[in-house]
Amino acid sequence: MTVSSEQAPRRVALVTLGCARNEVDSEELAGRLAADGWELVDDAADADAIVVNTCGFVEQAKKDSVDTLLEAADLKAAGRPRAVVAVGCLAERYGDQLAESLPEADAVLGFDDYADIGARLRRIVAGVPHVPHAPRDRRLLLPVTPVERGAVPVALPGHAQEPDLPEGVAPASGPRVVRRRLGNGPSAPLKLASGCDRRCAFCAIPAFRGSFVSRRPSDLLDEARWLAEHGVRELVLVSENSTSYGKDLGDLRLLETLLPELAAVEGIDWVRVSYLQPAETRPSLVEVIATTPGIAPYFDLSFQHASATVLRRMRRFGGTESFLDLLASARALAPLAGARSNVIVGFPGETEDDLEELERFLVAARLDAVGVFGYSDEDGTEAATYDGKLADDVVRERVERVSALVEELTSQRAEDRIGETVEVLVEAVVDSEDGLVVEGRAVHQAPEVDGSTLLVAGGLDLADLRVGSLVTAEVVSSDGVDLAAVPRGLVR
C-alpha cells in the first residue's frame, strides 16, 4: 500500500470510546490511515477529519458516543475539522438508522469500510456523500461450524494484515499486522479473537460483532514482538470470549499452548487474560494462568449473577457454589491471584431471594473488583421480550444496594492485601509540588478498571524509577481498591 503523488496529505484525529477491543480497532485504523498518507494528530481542532470510534454496548455508552459526535460537530461548525465520521460498534450496529438520526455526522462507516478507510475519508472530506450500510446480523456472514470460518473473507476489525505496508507501521518481518500505537504506556491490548457464539439473552454484541473467529497464533506472536519493540511490557489479551480461543482452529486448548509462548516474548513482563467465561474456564486453563511465569495470576470472570434461576433466564450456566469452586481452584494454585467480575441486577424476573443469593456470593467470593450494572432492554435481544420486567426505580435501588456492598467488600479485599509483596508495573512518574509521584498497578490490577498502586518512599529511590519499570513492593495501606506500597526491589 503506497501513497500516490495525487493524494494530498490530510490530518485526522481518532477518538476512541468503549472497551480495550475498540482501542485495538482504532490502532488498526490508525495504521491504515498512516500508510495511506494521513497525518495523525492528537488535537481534534487541528484535524481535517475527526473519526469517532463509538461504543454500542449499553444505553449509557450509546449516549456517550452520540455526545462525542455532537461535540466534534460543534468543532466543525467553528471552522475545523471539515468532516466528522462515526465508526465502531454503534456505527456498525445502527448504520443508516444512525446516519438518519444524527445528520451532524458527515458519514457513518461500518466494519466493511475499514480496509479502504483512507480513500473513504478522502472522499468524505472532499464533500462526496457516503451511503451508509443497512444494519444486518453479522453472525449470518460465517458458517455455523467454527472450523469452516477461516476460509470465508469477512471484515474483522483488529485482525487485519497487509504484506506491503511501509516500514514502521507494524512488524518488520512476515505478514505485517496493520497497527499504529496511539499511546505510549507500558500496557497494550492484543486482540485474541472477534465475535461470540454464546447467546446470552441480554447481549446484542454477537449480532453486530459476528460469530467467534480466532486469530492465528503466529499473527499474535508477531504483533506481541512488535508491541514489545515499541515499549510495551504488559499484553492484555482481549476478545468477546477468550475461553473459546482456538475452537475454530481445531484446538479448544490452544490458549494453554499460546500463553507460555507470549510470556516468552523478549521484553514482555506480564501477559494478562481478560474476558473469561466461567462455564468454559477449564482446569487446564486455570493452571496455566495461575502457575506460568510471566502470566498474570488474574481471573477476569464474567459471572453476571449467582442465582441459578436468573442465570438460566440469561441463557447462562453455573451458580454460587460452582463459581466459588472455580475461584477456590485458582487460589489453591495462586493464593494471591486477582479476581474481578461484572454483575447485572434487576434482570427480568429477579426476585428478592435472587438478589440475596447474589449478595451471598459476592461476600464469599472476595473479588478485587466488581462492575455493577442495572438491566435495561437492548434492541434485538431475547431478554427485551421477557415478561417480569422490574420498574426503573426498583432497578436503580438494587444497583445502589449492590454497589454499596461491592464498595465495602472490595475495600476490605484491598485492606487484606496489606503486608503482601506484589509486583508493580510503573505507569506514571510525575514531579509535583509535593515531590515525586510514582504510580502503577500491582499484578492483580488490570488497566483502568481495577484501581492503582502508589509507590511511596521507604525502599528504592523513587527517582530511579521510570515508566515501564517493574518492581517488587510491600503493600502498606489501602484506600478503596487503591493501594500504597513501598518498592523493595527492581525486577527490571
Side-chain angles (χ1 to χ4, degrees):
M1 187 185 299
T2 57
V3 182
S4 74
S5 59
E6 299 177 358
Q7 295 173 359
R10 298 285 187 183
R11 302 180 119 199
V12 58
L14 278 163
V15 179
T16 305
L17 304 174
C19 65
R21 299 185 294 273
N22 255 17
E23 184 180 334
V24 176
D25 297 350
S26 284
E27 294 194 348
E28 176 194 317
L29 291 172
R32 288 191 177 281
L33 288 165
D36 199 39
W38 287 81
E39 179 185 353
L40 301 167
V41 297
D42 294 327
D43 191 343
D46 294 334
D48 295 297
I50 301 177
V51 176
V52 180
N53 191 353
T54 61
C55 179
F57 180 39
V58 294
E59 200 59 40
Q60 185 58 51
K62 297 175 196 175
K63 182 181 184 303
D64 291 344
S65 294
V66 170
D67 288 347
T68 302
L69 287 163
L70 292 174
E71 290 169 6
D74 288 342
L75 282 177
K76 179 186 173 185
R80 189 80 181 232
R82 296 166 61 183
V84 175
V85 177
V87 300
C89 290
L90 187 71
E92 176 61 41
R93 184 176 181 183
Y94 292 105
D96 52 8
Q97 301 168 17
L98 178 63
E100 182 178 356
S101 64
L102 194 70
E104 293 86 352
D106 296 280
V108 174
L109 304 183
F111 296 154
D112 293 332
D113 293 305
Y114 284 19
D116 199 26
I117 186 68
R120 294 276 196 279
L121 215 51
R122 282 196 300 277
R123 289 194 289 271
I124 293 163
V125 169
V128 178
H130 176 79
V131 179
H133 65 283
R136 56 180 172 171
D137 189 336
R138 293 190 70 86
R139 291 172 293 192
L140 303 179
L141 303 180
L142 289 168
V144 173
T145 304
V147 295
E148 296 177 358
R149 294 172 187 166
V152 181
V154 171
L156 298 168
H159 290 229
Q161 288 195 302
E162 289 284 351
D164 56 348
L165 284 174
E167 294 297 324
V169 174
S173 62
R176 280 175 277 166
V177 179
V178 183
R179 185 164 182 175
R180 172 69 65 89
R181 288 206 75 195
L182 295 175
N184 55 10
S187 178
L190 178 62
K191 184 173 281 192
L192 273 179
S194 287
C196 186
D197 289 341
R198 300 187 70 87
R199 294 295 180 265
C200 300
F202 55 82
C203 184
I205 289 176
F208 57 85
R209 278 288 185 178
S211 298
F212 186 88
V213 179
S214 304
R215 295 181 66 193
R216 292 177 298 178
S218 58
D219 297 343
L220 291 164
L221 288 164
D222 280 345
E223 189 169 346
R225 295 185 189 102
W226 179 78
L227 288 167
E229 291 169 2
H230 286 73
V232 171
R233 294 293 170 258
E234 177 188 26
L235 302 174
V236 181
L237 307 187
V238 299
S239 70
E240 276 74 29
N241 178 6
S242 297
T243 38
S244 283
Y245 178 75
K247 72 176 186 179
D248 52 322
L249 301 177
D251 184 357
L252 188 53
R253 299 193 178 195
L254 191 56
L255 188 56
E256 286 92 315
T257 303
L258 174 65
L259 286 174
E261 294 184 74
L262 289 170
V265 171
E266 185 176 355
I268 297 300
D269 296 310
W270 292 349
V271 178
R272 185 182 304 275
V273 186
S274 59
Y275 305 108
L276 299 172
Q277 285 288 346
E280 299 179 27
T281 304
R282 50 208 173 265
S284 58
L285 181 57
V286 171
E287 182 177 3
V288 168
I289 293 174
T291 65
T292 304
I295 305 299
Y298 174 83
F299 294 86
D300 177 13
L301 293 157
S302 177
F303 292 124
Q304 301 301 353
H305 212 281
S307 162
T309 303
V310 173
L311 286 165
R312 298 308 174 269
R313 284 176 64 83
M314 288 179 169
R315 303 294 184 197
R316 296 177 69 85
F317 304 94
T320 295
E321 301 311 321
S322 64
F323 292 166
L324 292 177
D325 287 345
L326 176 56
L327 290 167
S329 69
R331 288 167 174 156
L333 296 168
L336 303 185
R340 84 169 325 272
S341 191
N342 295 314
V343 297
I344 297 172
V345 297
F347 192 76
E350 182 189 64
T351 66
E352 177 66 24
D353 286 345
D354 293 325
L355 192 64
E356 290 177 359
E357 182 67 11
L358 174 60
E359 292 172 327
R360 183 174 81 86
F361 165 72
L362 291 170
V363 170
R366 297 173 58 245
L367 299 170
D368 292 280
V370 184
V372 181
F373 298 90
Y375 172 81
S376 61
D377 286 340
E378 281 297 315
D379 298 336
T381 62
E382 181 182 354
T385 69
Y386 283 178
D387 57 11
K389 301 281 177 61
L390 304 184
D392 290 345
D393 60 335
V394 174
V395 175
R396 283 194 297 272
E397 185 276 330
R398 293 187 177 188
V399 169
E400 292 171 2
R401 170 177 159 180
V402 175
S403 295
L405 175 64
V406 161
E407 183 177 358
E408 179 183 350
L409 293 172
T410 53
S411 294
Q412 182 59 56
R413 180 71 182 118
E415 187 176 336
D416 290 344
R417 290 192 178 274
I418 294 174
E420 290 181 3
T421 297
V422 296
E423 285 192 348
V424 177
L425 181 65
V426 176
E427 294 188 304
V429 178
V430 179
D431 193 0
S432 71
E433 293 180 357
D434 297 325
L436 202 60
V437 178
V438 181
E439 191 171 11
R441 286 178 294 104
V443 71
H444 70 274
Q445 296 170 321
E448 299 181 2
V449 294
D450 292 347
S452 62
T453 297
L454 180 70
L455 294 177
V456 296
L460 295 177
D461 188 344
L462 297 182
D464 292 335
L465 302 181
R466 303 288 183 269
V467 172
S469 294
L470 185 67
V471 301
T472 58
E474 180 184 349
V475 180
V476 294
S477 66
S478 65
D479 181 8
V481 296
D482 298 326
L483 304 177
V486 175
R488 300 300 189 193
L490 183 65
V491 178
R492 183 199 45 72

